[in-house]
Amino acid sequence: MKKVLLTVLAALAVVSTGCHSGNSAKPTKPAGPNIAKLVQAATAAQVKQKSVHMAVTTMVSTASQTTHADLDADFIMKPLQMRGTSQVTGQTQPKPVELYYDAKHSYLKVGDHWIDASKSMTAMANPAGFAGQLRGDQIKAIPQSALKQAKLKRTKTTDTVTMGFTGKHAKAIWTQGQQAQSGSDSQLKQTSIKKLHYQLVIDRASQLPQQYQLRITVKRQGQTIDELITITYTKWGKITITTPDLK
C-alpha cells in the first residue's frame, strides 16, 4: 500500500510539474502584417494606374465659419488630364464650376464656352498638386516613425491604417512629413500643431487606395483651425476623358 501511495504521489508530481511548466510559458503570437509594407504596396500599385476618379473634399473650420471645397473629377495620368466640377461653399453658396485642364493649361466653362483661366485657377486647381496626389505623394509623405505606431483594422475586403498624434509628437510627425514632401513650409514656424490624424483604406485584392484622410488641428496667430481632407478613389484604370471644344 505504501509503495502504491508513493507511486501515485510521484505521478501527481510529474503531472503537476508538467502542467505548471506548460501554463507558465507564454504562447508566441504570430507576427501581424507589416503596415509599412502594406502602405508602400498601395503607392506602388497606384503609380502603375493610367486613370482614376477622385472625389476630394476639404473642410476648414474656425470659430467663425466653416468652408467646404469639393472637387469631383476624372483624371488621366499621362499625359495629365482632368475634367470635373469644383464647388466652394462657406458664407455663400455658389454653383458648381465645370473645369478642364491638361499639364499646361486650366480651363473654366462660362455659359457654353471654355475660357483659358490658367493664371486665376492655380490656387483652386493646381495641376502640379493633383499630379502629386495621383502619384500618391501625400501617402508617401507619411513618416516611417508614424507608420511604426499605426493601427491596422482588417476586413475581408479592406485594410484600414490609422495613426493619431497630439502636441509635440504631432508637430514632429507633421514637420517630418512636410520636409519629405516639399522640403520646407514657410508657415510651419508660425503654426502650432495640436492634433494630427491619418487614415488610409486599402483594397486588399488590388492593393490600391480606396480613401485617404488627413485631419489636422492647428493654432495660427491665436486662431484654432480644424482641417479635414478626404480623397476617395474609384474606377482605377477605367476612366476616359473627352477633351472639350476649347476654341
Side-chain angles (χ1 to χ4, degrees), residues 123-194:
M124 181 168 57
N126 186 348
F130 284 117
Q133 290 177 3
L134 294 171
R135 292 191 304 265
D137 286 359
Q138 74 283 354
I139 299 173
K140 294 176 186 176
I142 300 174
Q144 290 296 311
S145 57
L147 289 172
K148 289 179 180 179
Q149 300 177 59
K151 295 180 180 180
L152 178 65
K153 182 178 180 180
R154 311 198 87 181
T155 69
K156 292 182 178 180
T157 58
T158 62
D159 289 326
T160 300
V161 179
T162 58
M163 294 149 279
F165 311 95
T166 58
K168 293 181 179 180
H169 200 183
K171 184 169 185 178
I173 293 294
W174 178 252
T175 302
Q176 187 178 347
Q178 288 295 296
Q179 290 173 345
Q181 189 170 20
S182 61
S184 64
D185 181 1
S186 59
Q187 293 184 323
L188 191 58
K189 293 182 179 180
Q190 303 174 12
T191 302
S192 174
I193 311 296
K194 298 297 183 182

Side-chain angles (χ1 to χ4, degrees), residues 30 104 201 207 214:
K104 295 181 180 180
V201 182
Q207 296 184 309
L214 169 65

Side-chain angles (χ1 to χ4, degrees), residues 15 27 31 36 82 105 121 127 144 202 204 214 216 235 239 242:
V15 172
M82 182 278 281
H105 300 280
M121 282 175 56
Q144 290 296 311
I202 303 169
R204 294 188 69 181
L214 169 65
I216 184 169
K235 301 180 181 178
I239 298 297
T242 302

Side-chain angles (χ1 to χ4, degrees), residues 50 75-82 102-103:
K50 296 181 179 179
F75 288 85
I76 302 292
M77 312 307 196
K78 293 181 181 179
L80 180 64
Q81 283 181 286
M82 182 278 281
D102 53 30

